[in-house]
Amino acid sequence: MVGEVISVPAELIFELGNLGKWIQAVGLVVIIWIIFQAVTLYFNRKRRKLMEKLDRDLERVEKKLDKILKKKI
């Protein structure tokens, strides 16, 4: 019983090979998508930081304008 060899049809091995190739292809697509999302997230973070800085600067300028307008009145 220990020395028995199990015979597997060649078609089954071929189908398993094709399934493995599909799984690899899907995995590659998922990895590329994750990399793309990471790069997009990085650049969006930079833009968001820039927008926050512009917002702070705008508030500062508005406060200065308010002070100037109050002095004139």
Side-chain angles (χ1 to χ4, degrees):
M1 292 266 177
V2 175
E4 286 185 32
V5 177
I6 301 174
S7 64
V8 179
E11 293 175 15
L12 180 62
I13 294 173
F14 180 73
E15 290 298 321
L16 286 176
N18 282 340
L19 181 63
K21 287 181 183 179
W22 275 103
I23 290 172
Q24 280 182 336
V26 169
L28 183 63
V29 168
V30 168
I31 289 172
I32 290 172
W33 180 77
I34 289 172
I35 291 170
F36 179 75
Q37 290 298 320
V39 169
T40 302
L41 184 66
Y42 173 74
F43 283 112
N44 284 344
R45 181 177 177 269
K46 283 181 69 174
R47 287 185 191 125
R48 189 179 68 241
K49 293 286 186 184
L50 179 63
M51 292 295 289
E52 289 171 355
K53 182 183 178 298
L54 288 172
D55 190 39
R56 284 191 307 266
D57 291 346
L58 183 61
E59 286 178 15
R60 187 173 51 88
V61 168
E62 286 175 347
K63 287 178 185 178
K64 287 182 179 182
L65 280 174
D66 287 342
K67 281 184 182 180
I68 292 172
L69 289 175
K70 284 181 183 179
K71 284 183 181 180
K72 283 197 159 195
I73 294 177

